[in-house]
Amino acid sequence: MLKIKAIGVSEGLARAKALVIRDVDLTVVRNTVTDIEAEQQRALEAVENAKAQIAALRDETEKNIGPKEAEIFDAHLMMLEDPDFVEGMTNEIADESVCAEFACMVNCENFQAMFRAMDDEYMQARAADIGDISMRVLKNLKGIAENPLDTITEPCIVVANDLTPSDTAKMGGKPVVGFITKIGGRTSHSAIMARSMGIPAVVGAGEKLDPIEDGMELLIDGAAGELIAQPDEETLVQFAEKKAKDDERRAMLAAFRDRPGETSDGRRIIIEGNIGTPGDAVRVMELGGEGVGLFRSEFLFMDRPDLPSEEEQFQAYKKAVETMDGRPVIIRTLDIGGDKEVPALDLEKEQNPFLGYRAIRICLDRTDLFLVQLRALLRAAQYGDLRIMFPMISSVDELRNAKQVLREARDLLDAEGVDYNPNVKVGIMVEIPVAAVCADVLAQEADFFSIGTNDLIQYSCAVDRINEKISYLYRPLHPGVLRLIAMTAKAANENGIECGVCGEMAGTPGMASVLCGLGVTNLSMSASAMPAAKADLAARSYAECRELAQRLLKTASAEEAEDIFAEWRGE
């Protein structure tokens, strides 16, 4: 029996066989070949294998999801059957005497450049399809099997070095009951998405995962951050008892699903969900969310070789808004940089990326990119209560400049006669300490605040939130952090606007009462955390929440505040 302790990032208990995902090497080297005909035949066979794989995917998608969703694979097949595409590889092999892998890469780059240069927006978007099919051909050439996540049919616990947001999203609808990774932290994107989907997850296990092999029986405890491999009978009995208690607790919390967020004496706190994709909004509705407090729109831009078009963004935002059926949906404009990369933008590596060219700074510099997103948001706002939120605002000037670009987007839509909603609420993320300090001024220009505690803690405590060596310095209950939150909430309340929290602090057990006492009016969190937050609030009066908050604000250290919080929680 092997027990591994790491960082629990998404609560829940699960038992299943291990599915180990190994990193694959897709590095391409320009190797010279002498047998041109044999190398061309390798390329043609890889294309034929790709066709068969895509045809099978198309059939499976049509059967399990629907014919409309399967149409993308028809387009992929057409591209692979295009003589120009195939001859691009075989000609490269013949003309340059290079290996098929290198020819595949060059051919992909050439076709993507051609599509991106076209005036038609639809054709520009096909560059991503070229990347997909070329990657499939390349994997066939290198003998790399399909992504195991695509072929899951039995319950399993995924074991990997790391998981991209798209990898984590693939688990939705699959019988994945949990995952554990070598790297990552509580605020990494795979962890955030795991909480959104209610999948137990543990990260940061490091080399301790090396002995885990496919098919091993695993037990995972996402709250405790534990993984047990090849458990003995006694451990299995203990785990079953623990899971029965957890199931009982979850059944109790389910009773709060359809109740509003409020304290025992009726103080209303709106409980909303954080989402990364339009599909996540379904789970927010299922678990009783009163809205979406944060739609991380950057997930539409990540893990792809091109940028999403206005139409693609419009459809995604529209779907989320319609799913929420009149409830508010706050969509954060593109927040990239730091630890979030968008390959299509090819951003320069920076020495201090979290302090550099990111979020609203990129959007105000690349207004062409910003306008496309704002147009899509304004158009989607016709279908429900869509609200726009700007991230990383550090001054009134930045907010005013962003609102000016929004006006330009409206003017363009007016000139083109395109329907949109001109009356959209516009708010900001308060995640930079100077924004909290100047909240009284910003509150006069914004329709709402949403405090991003992940970055606010990081910036105010000067701690990289994904650096495991200094993770002990990342303290949500640091009195300085609490004072910044209270200061922001006070400015919002005095100016008659809502003040929410959409960082991970909102969904941390017990924190709903703390934030309520600090004056916050809205809490947005992973969907799975919403019932517990409602239960937490219902167990306390507003006076009790205020008393707790005042005690925490008066502490001299994070350790002192944590002791008070633990005592208050009965821990």
Side-chain angles (χ1 to χ4, degrees):
M1 186 171 77
L2 172 66
K3 182 178 288 188
I4 295 170
K5 179 74 174 177
I7 305 169
V9 296
S10 182
E11 68 173 7
L13 299 160
R15 173 185 177 183
K17 301 290 186 182
L19 174 68
V20 181
I21 298 177
R22 309 290 182 189
D23 287 344
V24 297
D25 182 10
L26 292 176
T27 304
V28 173
V29 178
R30 180 180 176 134
N31 289 326
T32 301
V33 296
T34 54
D35 191 339
I36 301 299
E37 188 174 334
E39 202 65 16
Q40 289 177 325
Q41 186 58 36
R42 282 187 67 225
L44 293 174
E45 288 175 359
V47 169
E48 289 304 312
N49 288 337
K51 287 181 185 178
Q53 293 161 355
I54 292 171
L57 272 176
R58 189 215 176 283
D59 293 344
E60 182 182 359
T61 303
E62 183 173 26
K63 176 183 176 182
N64 297 330
I65 303 177
K68 183 174 177 59
E69 288 76 10
E71 289 176 0
I72 181 63
F73 297 114
D74 288 330
H76 285 192
L77 285 171
M78 288 177 61
M79 291 177 184
L80 281 175
E81 290 166 355
D82 182 349
D84 289 338
F85 181 81
V86 178
E87 288 172 10
M89 279 189 290
T90 55
N91 289 344
E92 182 71 16
I93 293 170
D95 295 343
E96 302 295 331
S97 299
V98 293
C99 62
E101 290 86 348
F102 189 80
C104 177
M105 182 188 71
V106 171
N107 189 55
C108 173
E109 292 173 350
N110 290 340
F111 269 81
Q112 283 188 322
M114 179 181 70
F115 276 99
R116 286 173 182 150
M118 293 181 180
D119 293 332
D120 184 84
E121 188 176 299
Y122 175 84
M123 297 306 292
Q124 290 174 352
R126 301 287 65 77
D129 297 329
I130 292 294
D132 285 346
I133 63 174
S134 297
M135 190 65 65
R136 187 175 292 278
V137 172
L138 180 60
K139 285 182 177 179
N140 287 334
L141 286 167
K142 294 174 75 70
I144 297 171
E146 286 284 283
N147 186 334
L149 293 173
D150 292 328
T151 57
I152 294 172
T153 57
E154 299 293 332
C156 64
I157 294 173
V158 171
V159 180
N161 179 61
D162 193 17
L163 294 166
T164 66
S166 60
D167 285 336
T168 316
K170 278 183 181 180
M171 296 180 191
K174 299 282 188 180
V176 174
V177 298
F179 72 76
I180 181 167
T181 62
K182 285 188 174 183
I183 65 175
R186 182 167 177 79
T187 56
S188 62
H189 300 296
S190 56
I192 290 170
M193 292 190 72
R195 288 191 288 275
S196 294
M197 295 184 290
I199 299 175
V202 176
V203 303
E207 295 178 357
K208 290 179 284 188
L209 283 185
D210 288 344
I212 306 297
E213 297 179 358
D214 262 336
M216 280 187 173
E217 184 163 25
L218 304 180
L219 307 177
I220 188 171
D221 183 338
E226 289 182 351
L227 182 84
I228 298 174
Q230 305 292 64
D232 56 29
E233 285 302 317
E234 182 181 355
T235 302
L236 286 173
V237 170
Q238 293 173 347
F239 187 83
E241 293 173 352
K242 190 175 181 180
K243 191 172 189 314
K245 290 180 181 178
D246 186 63
D247 291 343
E248 184 179 338
R249 180 185 69 87
R250 289 174 182 269
M252 179 276 292
L253 291 177
F256 287 88
R257 188 189 69 179
D258 297 324
R259 291 174 56 174
E262 60 184 7
T263 59
S264 60
D265 54 348
R267 172 79 174 191
R268 283 286 280 125
I269 302 292
I270 307 300
I271 302 298
E272 301 168 312
N274 294 341
I275 67 174
T277 69
D280 294 342
V282 174
R283 184 165 173 78
V284 173
M285 287 290 283
E286 290 174 346
L287 294 178
E290 299 179 79
V292 168
L294 173 64
F295 182 158
R296 301 180 178 92
S297 69
E298 58 270 16
F299 283 141
L300 301 177
F301 293 73
M302 297 167 70
D303 295 320
R304 55 185 292 166
D306 64 341
L307 298 172
S309 66
E310 179 184 324
E311 185 63 24
E312 183 179 345
Q313 291 187 60
F314 161 68
Q315 292 294 342
Y317 306 145
K318 177 175 177 282
K319 181 177 180 182
V321 168
E322 289 181 330
T323 299
M324 294 309 297
D325 193 25
R327 296 167 179 81
V329 177
I330 297 175
I331 301 181
R332 179 174 68 189
T333 57
L334 185 58
D335 184 8
I336 56 169
D339 61 335
K340 292 174 280 191
E341 297 183 1
V342 171
L345 291 180
D346 194 25
L347 300 176
E348 290 183 14
K349 297 293 183 183
E350 297 181 280
Q351 220 171 2
N352 295 299
F354 282 102
L355 303 179
Y357 187 62
R358 60 171 296 200
I360 197 66
R361 300 166 184 179
I362 292 177
C363 289
L364 291 177
D365 181 50
R366 289 285 308 274
T367 53
D368 56 327
L369 181 73
F370 200 19
L371 280 168
V372 170
Q373 181 172 39
L374 293 175
R375 286 169 56 104
L377 289 167
L378 289 169
R379 290 171 56 199
Q382 300 173 85
Y383 299 90
D385 187 3
L386 184 152
R387 304 176 186 184
I388 297 173
M389 179 164 65
F390 300 131
M392 287 288 291
I393 293 294
S394 63
S395 69
V396 170
D397 290 337
E398 277 183 330
L399 174 54
R400 289 172 179 168
N401 290 339
K403 290 167 74 174
Q404 175 56 37
V405 181
L406 181 61
R407 283 191 289 271
E408 291 174 20
R410 290 193 186 103
D411 291 343
L412 287 170
L413 292 172
D414 282 333
E416 296 167 19
V418 177
D419 292 334
Y420 71 97
N421 180 1
N423 302 311
V424 176
K425 288 187 176 181
V426 177
I428 66 168
M429 292 274 286
V430 177
E431 49 196 334
I432 299 177
V434 292
V437 173
C438 296
D440 57 334
V441 178
L442 288 164
Q444 297 174 39
E445 301 266 349
D447 294 326
F448 61 88
F449 285 162
S450 188
I451 303 172
T453 51
N454 299 355
D455 272 334
L456 184 65
I457 297 166
Q458 171 174 248
Y459 291 136
S460 55
C461 295
V463 53
D464 181 348
R465 59 187 170 94
I466 59 175
N467 186 330
E468 295 173 21
K469 291 183 179 179
I470 54 174
S471 60
Y472 68 95
L473 293 172
Y474 187 87
R475 314 287 280 270
L477 286 173
H478 190 295
V481 173
L482 297 178
R483 291 172 193 178
L484 290 172
I485 294 172
M487 186 184 302
T488 303
K490 181 174 183 289
N493 294 336
E494 288 177 349
N495 284 273
I497 65 173
E498 292 181 347
C499 179
V501 169
C502 63
E504 290 305 307
M505 190 173 174
T508 302
M511 284 293 182
S513 294
V514 175
L515 295 168
C516 170
L518 291 172
V520 169
T521 59
N522 300 55
L523 295 175
S524 189
M525 61 201 70
S526 301
S528 58
M530 295 188 303
K534 290 181 179 180
D536 176 31
L537 288 167
R540 309 284 180 175
S541 68
Y542 180 54
E544 289 177 298
C545 294
R546 288 288 295 169
E547 180 184 356
L548 172 64
Q550 291 305 310
R551 288 181 64 197
L552 295 174
L553 287 170
K554 293 175 182 176
T555 57
S557 68
E559 185 174 349
E560 184 183 341
E562 288 162 359
D563 287 344
I564 290 173
F565 180 66
E567 180 186 358
W568 187 79
R569 292 260 298 158
E571 296 174 349

